Amino acid sequence: MAKKITMIGAGSIVFCKTLLSDILATPALEDSEFALMDLTESKVRSMEAFAKRMLKDNRLPGKVYATLDRREAIRDADFVVIMIQVGGVEAFELDYKIPLKYGVDQCIADSLGPGGVFRGLRTIPVLVDIAREMEAVAKPGAIMLQYSNPMAGNCLALGKASKVSFVGLCHGVQTTLDLIAGYCGVPKEEITYTCGGINHMDWFLRLEHRGRDLYPKLREVFEKPEYYKNEKVRGEVFRHFGYFMTESTGHLSEYVPWFRKNKAALDLYCDEPSFGGESGAYYNWCRTVADKYAEHDPLLDESTKIERRSVEYCSYIMEAVATGKPFRLMGNVRNDGYITNLPAGSCVEVPTFADGAGLHPTFVGDLPPQCAAACMTNINVQILAGEAALNSDPEHIVHAVAMDPLASAVCTLKQIRDMCSEMLEAERMWLPRFQGKRISPKPTISIPKGCRPVDVPLDPALAIGKRFGELVTRKTD
Amino acid sequence: MAKKITMIGAGSIVFCKTLLSDILATPALEDSEFALMDLTESKVRSMEAFAKRMLKDNRLPGKVYATLDRREAIRDADFVVIMIQVGGVEAFELDYKIPLKYGVDQCIADSLGPGGVFRGLRTIPVLVDIAREMEAVAKPGAIMLQYSNPMAGNCLALGKASKVSFVGLCHGVQTTLDLIAGYCGVPKEEITYTCGGINHMDWFLRLEHRGRDLYPKLREVFEKPEYYKNEKVRGEVFRHFGYFMTESTGHLSEYVPWFRKNKAALDLYCDEPSFGGESGAYYNWCRTVADKYAEHDPLLDESTKIERRSVEYCSYIMEAVATGKPFRLMGNVRNDGYITNLPAGSCVEVPTFADGAGLHPTFVGDLPPQCAAACMTNINVQILAGEAALNSDPEHIVHAVAMDPLASAVCTLKQIRDMCSEMLEAERMWLPRFQGKRISPKPTISIPKGCRPVDVPLDPALAIGKRFGELVTRKTD
Amino acid sequence: MAKKITMIGAGSIVFCKTLLSDILATPALEDSEFALMDLTESKVRSMEAFAKRMLKDNRLPGKVYATLDRREAIRDADFVVIMIQVGGVEAFELDYKIPLKYGVDQCIADSLGPGGVFRGLRTIPVLVDIAREMEAVAKPGAIMLQYSNPMAGNCLALGKASKVSFVGLCHGVQTTLDLIAGYCGVPKEEITYTCGGINHMDWFLRLEHRGRDLYPKLREVFEKPEYYKNEKVRGEVFRHFGYFMTESTGHLSEYVPWFRKNKAALDLYCDEPSFGGESGAYYNWCRTVADKYAEHDPLLDESTKIERRSVEYCSYIMEAVATGKPFRLMGNVRNDGYITNLPAGSCVEVPTFADGAGLHPTFVGDLPPQCAAACMTNINVQILAGEAALNSDPEHIVHAVAMDPLASAVCTLKQIRDMCSEMLEAERMWLPRFQGKRISPKPTISIPKGCRPVDVPLDPALAIGKRFGELVTRKTD
Amino acid sequence: MAKKITMIGAGSIVFCKTLLSDILATPALEDSEFALMDLTESKVRSMEAFAKRMLKDNRLPGKVYATLDRREAIRDADFVVIMIQVGGVEAFELDYKIPLKYGVDQCIADSLGPGGVFRGLRTIPVLVDIAREMEAVAKPGAIMLQYSNPMAGNCLALGKASKVSFVGLCHGVQTTLDLIAGYCGVPKEEITYTCGGINHMDWFLRLEHRGRDLYPKLREVFEKPEYYKNEKVRGEVFRHFGYFMTESTGHLSEYVPWFRKNKAALDLYCDEPSFGGESGAYYNWCRTVADKYAEHDPLLDESTKIERRSVEYCSYIMEAVATGKPFRLMGNVRNDGYITNLPAGSCVEVPTFADGAGLHPTFVGDLPPQCAAACMTNINVQILAGEAALNSDPEHIVHAVAMDPLASAVCTLKQIRDMCSEMLEAERMWLPRFQGKRISPKPTISIPKGCRPVDVPLDPALAIGKRFGELVTRKTD
């Protein structure tokens, strides 16, 4: 009973190759059939050729084919892996550069903020279409493994629009665990932990090494410059909120209002280079890589040797479903009561088990209230962006960005509206469902000199107070 | 069956006199027994004397007495009306002036922001004590009518700490309705409306005059300078969010991040005098009034004539309970599922009926998502302030203010922590449960020149990308 | 702004005349336009003629017309009143007589049990169609006032199938209150009460006369033969469960398993004539009335004088909506969290307010657990009957009746299945959506003599116990 | 980091020995420390001696000791295993024999019905005490593994009374899976399944062999006498409800009203010997075993050889916690939203994972409505029995049994009350918290001949109908 595994966005060659290698390194999956799908034929053909070499060189029984037809790729699939980037580096440039003109200085710009909102607007309709196709032609119970950002926003919208079984996947938890293990000097495998929150803001609620709480040690080292320096923003949130979480400094600095709203804050907390907080760090990296790949296909030189499985959850989930042996991950799922102080229907990242019967997110309960509050400011944006995308409602684009912690700390409502309008016009080619719709302008209402306002009733409390005051005044004057 | 009505904070003479007059103007309540309680004997005695004159001059059968003993005042009460202000104008001065030093420029400072948080810290323990006393000695089913600010924060904490029947009352809905009626040129009595949200941010979800939607007219006039000028901030939120709400400009400008975080915004939106957005408008007004009253007791000159009932809900609720004739109000209550996209257990302002069986809040359902999101940013603060007050937890004070939309748009986390610490020290005399507790400082971690950060594992995505990039570079260089 | 009031099933002349008279006795409604609709032209024409005489004789400005076209009757309606009986007395005869053959002896047979389930199967699709038509052509916010039984089952299905605003109405609360007032010797108007539960099983959770609990008095009189005799079954449930409720003896005896499952129980508790528990009491009454009306139209002799308004809620609700003056009733509504220990989405009867903004059911909280449990046995049937009706699923008919407290106390599963099958075949003409569907028979599996069962694994606990037992036996034998 | 494992009720030697052997067969647990506790010293000493021999003979590093002091046994425990039987076979005899006098003929009598209710009343207070002791002196996060019946009733009460981490364990799922595997002819290990429901009524919602639905095959064989004969009652429920479940015929026949309420039903469905449906089958078995063990200690002859691990979940859960390797079981847990159409706070049996972070029940969603309805009739009893036990409320004992599907099909309310009263008096020695409390009698109210009932108001519908009828009669007579 070989599995059919569909890779949507297989032209993301680096990431696709990683997952492919992981899956082929898994005995229970080595006879899988891979359908590689992308809109860019050259890339998907290159990927197909490489995958075929991998199978042949490693004498594996699996099969692979490429296609531009997404529905056909999905037909009879057991798993559909999503790694699309709608609009590519071109759209990304707009996501970063237009907000910068309005003072919204993003470091990564793919998850929240104006950049994250517009990435979501481009991506969500495609994900919903894929989910519909899965409902129509994939195997019953087929699972979507969703890797595209904005993770939480995408998955929130997916969870509203479709009943398909899906999980949003990220390696933030695994890499943070590496960091914790290193900082505390204990083997990662011996750490018992529970996370709860949202993607990119998932809090370590329990963190133990063989029954001993690791938090005292972690707090201790984070006061030391040589540790703190690596993660200033994450360190500050840890110091002030009391819990450590999964997002690294550059990215986290965008999700909260305290670190990059002005130069003083940037200088104090976001002064490390690149992903340490630099303006446009991720865009610059992507542009550089894209330019290099445009000149030369990296797969031509890549070894077909199957390596040790990476930390990505993808192959482990598939293995658990195929073998029935349970695997535990932190998955992004629709909040069906798992985190009790975050909204039902939002997307939360919680301990999730995979096994023969599919995906099983588990109950976390209440987050510490300060952690829930911080998540909530992000979920506000995700809900509104989801509404904007699912209903093609341009007003909700403005509302989403108006709720963004960084943009709202920098701009007025009018500036936010103007910025969104400019972005919508610039990115129209990737937003076909907004055709014929625009964000209506709300120009400043200019008040002529000497304008007499219309009468309004006096507030009764003030009125009474005023009368009393006058009484007193009459008497005391 | 005369009712016993207890007034806590009866030294708030202006407001107490208004409610008293309303109640005495109500036939079903004119034989009530009033227990007036305050900590300041002179004021409560003055109030008592005035009330006695009112009863006598109007030949009413009611009875009145003053006491400093709160528990005795509450004994056998049917209704307990709360109008306390813990710390008075002295504490209020600190609520306004300390934050101003940190750049947090408040206009009213009694509901959210650092001022609202500390007013809540001072008030909540007293309210909880009153609720406990009601559970112990008031009539079964006695109702608390709670008028003290921060309304939503106070009521949220009350709803967590006690099962006593209570409702938070404000006249924001009534005065906004006056404004709407005036702007639209229709009689207030003929408007059918439903509100939903939180106190001071309660959205008109339905607004009709004899079956005709009033919103088009309201939108039209708000584009005209002579209407807009009266309510710039409320007007902007209306224009950008699409729904009108109950909070006036000066107050609303504090609850959201867009209007008073810097001079440009202040100049554009908060440039009308006093409650139109001026810095410290409410504090200045209170100080002036307090100074006047200190010189001369205004009740000495006040007429004892019973006037037409005011818009305050208080006497109408008591009348409904006494007569069984239902009365509809917008009440602040614990969210037991009334607004489905705001957290259970938060305090919401929703259509509520009073009748012989008590208080009956009603189901509203989902708010429009942008309205819910805006409320949620305020509820974040209220939840954390409530946790701080109920558990005397100084860290949660910091968390509450860190979530404040205005403070977080202005300050860094460290500045917020320092500001809270300064306020806690200055207001200790009114915060007895924080005795022996302080906000621990989190000084800036200074990184010595040349500090070498400890090694951290490379993010796997970046690692792979890096390797590929190098491959390509090797080839293409 | 005259209201348009649509009466569906206006051929129910007695009831229709009562409601019409109530409405015309209400000043705010006397200019209403009435659309009378029924499938039986003669009856609806007779009703129309009578209504026209009423308007004329009382010099009222209202208008009335009759139609057989339901959609047209509903067009632009403000209120749609439902008083249909699908299948009439003919179907009712089958509802009563077929179950009787299987030992299920019903007294009323219109709300639960096989009779109630089949009445629901006939009615629900019609109600859903009406709701769809209201969504399509009635005024926005139009309200359905639903009087047809099975009340709870019908409304449960309506609440699942449509978002139209509706309330199920019954006079059980009002008449029970009359009974209580009489038994306790206090004026009905002075009783303060709260009910919570389901229609026909709504418990008095609070019952006071001017602040004094009426329960002790009620308990006292119910131990006296002259009071108990009137309501034996209701009295027993009161004695054993501790709360009084809205259903009278004959009807209640069908909803619970203790009173009419065998002759001994019938003789002890259901021995009063007619609605006191007699077999087929309601069917016999309906048949008698129907026969009389067939011979002679009672409206021909009826006075057109407008009488004092009856206890029916209908005209009071309409008045509250028209005037904005709130009215309190016990309404049957979808359980959106009102009763916290009954299922969300079931139909509950709770305090509900009507006013200018429509219908507002209110929060009750947990019922006493024994009351909730009794309601739950009925809700089980209602949910399954609703599923059967909404999905035309014949298996769920069997499941619904299998859960019925009375039928399940009398029959085996096979008997229940056979009974349902016979009823479905007999009533097909009123169940068009079950065309082509039947209840599959499950004949008794006969086990031939000497049949050797296949091997099954031994239960491990028994296996071990057995082994130990043998050990011991070996030793001790 | 050896684990401390506490066994409460270790005098249940057969079962205790099984679990002990399982644990010692688990490498990760072989160094555990066992605290064996029981109230009967002789038995626990015998168990201790046997356990010491096991450790020695198998050269294992574990340690064991016996104690009569429960609190000490629990101190520092990682796991507390419960296998108590309060009142032993003596109380059990009353649970079976008293109801039989009232016509309630139980086969097993330990889970629902009067027997199950009273077993719960005896057991719940002890479980709650143990939970309190765990909260006080066990390791933080210690897990209770609860094996005592009535499983669902006990765990429901535990979940209300304590926040301790617990899971109720049973082997019903495992043995049913053996049966299914045998009937369908596929290896148990290859079956993918999901269950949802309550203990002893847990429905197979998904049942597949390598992706193929097993239900068609299972339905087919259950129509054949040689298969059906083994499980008549379970077979009938399967045939009529469409889903297979975990309870075997004798036990299931007690939980539902259709199979043993009268002789005809018993003859048809409960005619196989012993656990196939015989009256008092389990009591007779327990009595026989107890008598044998009284004569001779079976452990004296038992081999100390460690055998293959049994199907009991106990050792697997402990292994998962100790190693972090996830294990999947069907666990009985508090319903925190796992089954959406069963009440929150009831006890449900759902897929649950154990791992290093403890127990993780998972979301099932809605059960098929007929399955939920059947579970609900049992949960009704469990909730009321739990209230009776937790509040020592004798009325709720009556309510619990009044809701029992079997007792209510057989008895009147009065008979149920009398039966409960007799049981309470007979079992007082094991119900110390009911001291001074009794079930108040409700004697039959005898109505003297010629008793004239007090007047009651006529139902308005009947009144109007009556008047119309008279009108017609006058005309037509």
Side-chain angles (χ1 to χ4, degrees), chain A residues 318-457:
Chain A
M318 293 172 176
E319 184 181 21
V321 173
T323 64
K325 210 185 99 188
F327 171 71
R328 183 194 194 232
L329 65 141
M330 297 294 144
N332 291 279
V333 297
R334 186 179 55 225
N335 189 18
D336 286 328
Y338 307 123
I339 298 191
T340 40
N341 57 353
L342 292 182
S346 64
C347 174
V348 292
E349 193 170 276
V350 292
T352 301
F353 290 87
D355 71 0
L359 296 164
H360 311 283
T362 62
F363 183 77
V364 167
D366 268 4
L367 295 188
Q370 70 273 32
C371 301
C375 288
M376 199 57 226
T377 63
N378 284 220
I379 292 173
N380 268 347
V381 181
Q382 292 154 9
I383 288 173
L384 288 160
E387 292 294 317
L390 293 174
N391 304 308
S392 311
D393 180 338
E395 280 298 304
H396 283 327
I397 301 176
V398 179
H399 301 150
V401 179
M403 286 296 136
D404 180 59
L406 179 56
S408 70
V410 170
C411 300
T412 64
L413 279 180
K414 179 175 185 307
Q415 290 164 337
I416 287 167
R417 181 171 289 268
D418 292 346
M419 172 172 69
C420 291
S421 186
E422 186 175 343
M423 292 176 82
L424 175 58
E425 298 312 319
E427 303 197 10
R428 277 206 175 283
M429 83 177 70
W430 305 290
L431 299 167
R433 299 190 196 188
F434 283 90
Q435 199 178 358
K437 296 180 177 183
R438 58 194 274 270
I439 292 170
S440 65
K442 301 283 177 192
T444 298
I445 296 175
S446 135
I447 299 178
K449 217 164 214 167
C451 166
R452 229 194 81 109
V454 297
D455 283 342
V456 289

Side-chain angles (χ1 to χ4, degrees), chain C residues 77-99:
Chain C
D78 293 279
F79 303 105
V80 177
V81 188
I82 312 286
M83 45 191 134
I84 59 173
Q85 192 188 350
V86 183
V89 87
E90 220 179 323
F92 191 9
E93 181 167 3
L94 300 165
D95 286 350
Y96 165 60
K97 291 193 173 166
I98 295 175

Side-chain angles (χ1 to χ4, degrees), chain A residues 13-14 17-18 171 175 178-179 183 222-230 232 236-237 239-242 257-259 261-262 265 268-269 272 275 285 289 292-293 295-299 301-302 307 310-312 369-370 372-374 376-377 380 383-384 387 395-396 398-399 402-403 407-414 416-417 442-448 451-462 464-473 475-476, chain B residues 13-14 17-18 171 175 178-179 183 222-230 232 236-237 239-242 257-259 261-262 265 268-269 272 275 285 289 292-293 295-299 301-302 307 310-312 369-370 372-374 376-377 380 383-384 387 395-396 398-399 402-403 407-414 416-417 442-448 451-462 464-473 475-476:
Chain A
I13 50 179
V14 174
K17 189 252 155 181
T18 302
H171 52 248
T175 55
D178 277 327
L179 183 113
Y183 272 32
F222 252 99
E223 296 294 322
K224 300 184 183 172
E226 66 272 26
Y227 291 83
Y228 172 79
K229 186 176 161 64
N230 283 320
K232 289 186 178 176
E236 289 298 332
V237 170
R239 296 171 85 214
H240 287 276
F241 276 63
W258 311 295
F259 300 105
K261 69 189 152 206
N262 55 36
L268 203 50
Y269 302 113
E272 295 290 326
F275 295 96
W285 190 84
V289 169
K292 279 190 186 166
Y293 291 3
E295 291 173 43
H296 190 85
D297 176 355
L299 289 176
D301 318 299
E302 177 68 357
E307 299 175 78
S310 77
V311 300
E312 300 296 344
Q370 70 273 32
M376 199 57 226
T377 63
N380 268 347
I383 288 173
L384 288 160
E387 292 294 317
E395 280 298 304
H396 283 327
V398 179
H399 301 150
M403 286 296 136
S408 70
V410 170
C411 300
T412 64
L413 279 180
K414 179 175 185 307
I416 287 167
R417 181 171 289 268
K442 301 283 177 192
T444 298
I445 296 175
S446 135
I447 299 178
C451 166
R452 229 194 81 109
V454 297
D455 283 342
V456 289
L458 194 56
D459 180 281
L462 299 183
I464 296 165
K466 192 157 166 274
R467 189 169 56 74
F468 267 72
E470 283 162 3
L471 270 177
V472 172
T473 308
K475 288 287 163 188
T476 54
Chain B
I13 50 178
V14 175
K17 188 252 154 180
T18 303
H171 52 247
T175 55
D178 277 328
L179 184 112
Y183 272 32
F222 253 99
E223 296 293 321
K224 299 183 183 174
E226 65 272 25
Y227 291 82
Y228 172 79
K229 185 175 161 65
N230 283 320
K232 288 188 179 175
E236 288 299 331
V237 170
R239 297 170 85 214
H240 287 277
F241 276 63
W258 311 294
F259 300 105
K261 69 189 151 205
N262 54 37
L268 202 50
Y269 301 113
E272 295 289 326
F275 296 95
W285 190 84
V289 169
K292 280 188 184 167
Y293 290 4
E295 293 171 41
H296 189 84
D297 177 354
L299 290 175
D301 319 300
E302 177 69 354
E307 300 176 77
S310 77
V311 300
E312 299 296 343
Q370 69 272 32
M376 200 57 228
T377 63
N380 268 347
I383 288 172
L384 288 160
E387 292 294 317
E395 279 298 304
H396 282 328
V398 179
H399 301 148
M403 285 296 136
S408 69
V410 171
C411 300
T412 64
L413 279 179
K414 178 172 186 307
I416 286 167
R417 181 171 288 267
K442 300 285 177 193
T444 300
I445 295 174
S446 133
I447 299 178
C451 166
R452 230 196 81 110
V454 297
D455 283 342
V456 288
L458 194 55
D459 180 281
L462 298 184
I464 295 164
K466 192 155 167 275
R467 188 169 57 74
F468 267 72
E470 282 162 4
L471 270 179
V472 171
T473 309
K475 287 288 164 186
T476 55

Side-chain angles (χ1 to χ4, degrees), chain C residues 14 17-18 171 175 178-179 183 222-230 232 236-237 239-241 257-259 261-262 265 268-269 275 285 292-293 295-296 298-299 301-302 307 311-312 369-370 372-374 376-377 380 383-384 387 395-396 398-399 402-403 407-414 416-417 442-448 451-457 459-462 464-469 471-473 475-476, chain D residues 14 17-18 171 175 178-179 183 222-230 232 236-237 239-241 257-259 261-262 265 268-269 275 285 292-293 295-296 298-299 301-302 307 311-312 369-370 372-374 376-377 380 383-384 387 395-396 398-399 402-403 407-414 416-417 442-448 451-457 459-462 464-469 471-473 475-476:
Chain C
V14 175
K17 189 252 155 181
T18 303
H171 52 248
T175 55
D178 278 326
L179 184 111
Y183 272 32
F222 253 99
E223 296 295 320
K224 301 184 183 174
E226 66 272 25
Y227 291 82
Y228 172 79
K229 186 176 161 64
N230 282 320
K232 290 187 178 176
E236 289 298 332
V237 170
R239 296 170 85 215
H240 287 276
F241 276 63
W258 311 294
F259 300 105
K261 69 188 151 207
N262 54 37
L268 202 50
Y269 301 113
F275 295 95
W285 190 85
K292 280 190 184 166
Y293 291 3
E295 293 172 41
H296 190 84
L299 290 176
D301 319 300
E302 177 68 355
E307 300 176 76
V311 300
E312 299 296 343
Q370 69 273 31
M376 200 57 228
T377 63
N380 267 347
I383 289 171
L384 288 160
E387 292 295 317
E395 279 298 304
H396 283 327
V398 178
H399 301 149
M403 285 297 135
S408 70
V410 171
C411 301
T412 65
L413 280 179
K414 180 174 185 306
I416 286 168
R417 182 172 288 268
K442 300 284 177 192
T444 300
I445 296 174
S446 134
I447 299 179
C451 166
R452 230 195 81 109
V454 297
D455 284 341
V456 288
D459 180 281
L462 299 183
I464 295 163
K466 193 156 166 272
R467 189 169 57 74
F468 267 72
L471 269 178
V472 172
T473 309
K475 286 289 162 186
T476 55
Chain D
V14 174
K17 188 252 154 181
T18 303
H171 51 248
T175 55
D178 277 328
L179 184 112
Y183 271 33
F222 253 99
E223 297 294 322
K224 300 184 183 173
E226 65 273 25
Y227 291 83
Y228 173 79
K229 186 176 162 66
N230 282 321
K232 288 187 179 176
E236 289 298 332
V237 170
R239 295 170 86 213
H240 286 276
F241 275 63
W258 311 294
F259 301 105
K261 69 189 152 205
N262 54 36
L268 202 50
Y269 301 113
F275 296 94
W285 190 83
K292 279 190 185 166
Y293 290 4
E295 293 172 42
H296 189 85
L299 290 175
D301 318 301
E302 177 69 355
E307 299 177 78
V311 299
E312 300 295 343
Q370 68 272 32
M376 200 56 228
T377 64
N380 267 347
I383 288 172
L384 288 160
E387 292 295 317
E395 280 298 305
H396 283 327
V398 179
H399 301 149
M403 285 297 136
S408 70
V410 170
C411 300
T412 64
L413 279 179
K414 180 175 185 304
I416 286 168
R417 182 171 287 267
K442 300 284 177 194
T444 299
I445 296 174
S446 132
I447 299 179
C451 166
R452 228 195 83 109
V454 298
D455 282 342
V456 288
D459 180 282
L462 298 183
I464 296 165
K466 194 156 165 274
R467 189 169 58 73
F468 267 73
L471 271 178
V472 172
T473 308
K475 288 287 165 186
T476 55

Side-chain angles (χ1 to χ4, degrees), chain A residues 124-183:
Chain A
I124 288 166
V126 181
L127 293 179
V128 173
D129 285 349
I130 293 170
R132 295 269 172 280
E133 288 162 358
M134 287 178 66
E135 289 162 5
V137 303
K139 287 241 183 76
I143 296 174
M144 181 195 290
L145 299 100
Q146 204 293 94
Y147 273 103
S148 294
N149 271 329
M151 178 57 66
N154 285 344
C155 290
L156 183 149
L158 254 183
K160 295 211 169 182
S162 165
K163 291 281 176 202
V164 87
S165 177
F166 75 88
V167 63
L169 298 173
C170 175
H171 52 248
V173 172
Q174 300 97 305
T175 55
T176 301
L177 209 61
D178 277 327
L179 183 113
I180 293 169
Y183 272 32

